[in-house]
Amino acid sequence: RLGPSLGVPAALSMASLLVTLLNYAMFLGGLLIKLPQIIAILRTQTVTGMSEMSLVTECLACLSLCAYNSLMGHPFENWGEMALIGAQCAVQIGLFWVLTTQAISMAPRALGVVLVIVGSAMMASGMFPAEWLPVLGLIPTVLGAYARVPQIILNFRQSHTGNQSVITWGLSLGGNAVRILTTLVSVNDVVTLAGYVVAAVLNLTLVLQILAYWSRTNEVVWAQKGKAKTGTAAKSD
């Protein structure tokens, strides 16, 4: 039987191993989290039911979270998956701009992309004031909520969830739970912890909406796809 001198180090070693495995799982999840939704968009060739504002603000939330953790010197394994998720959000935004049936102006959107690139470069070069780091740390929480709340409201109003994927939001929820645990264990940062808790509540709401509106969503999405095919055939004639 392990004595106190051996049991405590062994327990700490197991806890450290568990956290490491969870971090690797987060990176794997980060690679796949948005993929089902991207595939759904490419398959149906429609972005019906999706909120551009939600996509943009979620992408900005990922960027600001990465910037905050990098400037704070937090271990990359504790937040690196957000860089992967941010890249996939950018792909979704591009697909929205290409496939949306709404009339949109690309000039202000292109300007926004340039401003984000310039701002990121300035922070990477050390030009961000240290006293503003707590504010930067709160931005992901505010933007994350702002990204999801419009989608949640839109879902309630239209009584369907469009191409929102239960796999995507389910993985997001699971990721939040993991990050709450790893933050408590390895990062002493209340700002980061609060962000993951808020995100978990909102992601749970989205998952419940997708399940509640499942049948109605299928009807709307495939009806929209049928209209798109009919319109294409009419143009070709």
Side-chain angles (χ1 to χ4, degrees):
R1 187 176 67 179
L2 292 175
S5 61
L6 293 177
V8 173
L12 291 175
S13 178
M14 287 298 295
S16 177
L17 176 61
L18 175 61
V19 170
T20 299
L21 291 175
L22 288 174
N23 283 330
Y24 280 122
M26 288 298 295
F27 272 80
L28 179 60
L31 284 170
L32 302 175
I33 194 167
K34 296 290 184 180
L35 190 59
Q37 205 165 56
I38 292 173
I39 291 173
I41 294 172
L42 293 172
R43 178 171 57 88
T44 61
Q45 290 293 294
T46 176
V47 288
T48 299
M50 300 190 71
S51 167
E52 181 188 15
M53 183 63 71
S54 290
L55 295 174
V56 171
T57 50
E58 184 177 6
C59 186
L60 292 176
C62 290
L63 288 175
S64 54
L65 186 146
C66 290
Y68 171 74
N69 280 276
S70 178
L71 293 174
M72 286 291 291
H74 291 162
F76 181 72
E77 59 268 21
N78 278 54
W79 56 269
E81 76 281 352
M82 296 306 295
L84 300 174
I85 296 172
Q88 292 170 81
C89 285
V91 171
Q92 286 183 300
I93 293 169
L95 288 172
F96 185 93
W97 289 346
V98 170
L99 296 174
T100 184
T101 56
Q102 304 171 19
I104 61 174
S105 173
M106 288 306 302
R109 289 166 173 79
L111 177 60
V113 171
V114 172
L115 291 176
V116 167
I117 293 173
V118 171
S120 299
M122 291 176 64
M123 283 189 284
S125 63
M127 298 176 66
F128 192 84
E131 59 269 21
W132 286 93
L133 280 174
V135 176
L136 179 62
L138 289 172
I139 289 176
T141 303
V142 175
L143 288 181
Y146 191 59
R148 288 161 177 76
V149 169
Q151 187 67 62
I152 290 171
I153 293 173
L154 179 63
N155 292 342
F156 278 127
R157 286 178 176 173
Q158 63 189 7
S159 298
H160 71 83
T161 55
N163 273 321
Q164 300 296 309
S165 169
V166 69
I167 298 175
T168 293
W169 293 117
L171 287 173
S172 294
L173 178 60
N176 296 146
V178 169
R179 279 302 174 223
I180 289 171
L181 175 61
T182 59
T183 300
L184 288 170
V185 171
S186 58
V187 178
N188 184 21
D189 192 327
V190 175
V191 172
T192 299
L193 179 62
Y196 289 128
V197 171
V198 171
V201 172
L202 295 174
N203 287 337
L204 175 61
T205 302
L206 284 163
V207 168
L208 294 176
Q209 282 185 322
I210 292 170
L211 295 176
Y213 296 136
W214 188 274
S215 297
R216 171 63 178 163
T217 296
N218 284 330
E219 294 175 4
V220 171
V221 169
W222 288 106
Q224 184 71 25
K225 186 178 180 182
K227 289 180 181 178
K229 286 184 176 180
T230 302
T232 302
K235 288 181 180 178
S236 63
D237 291 341

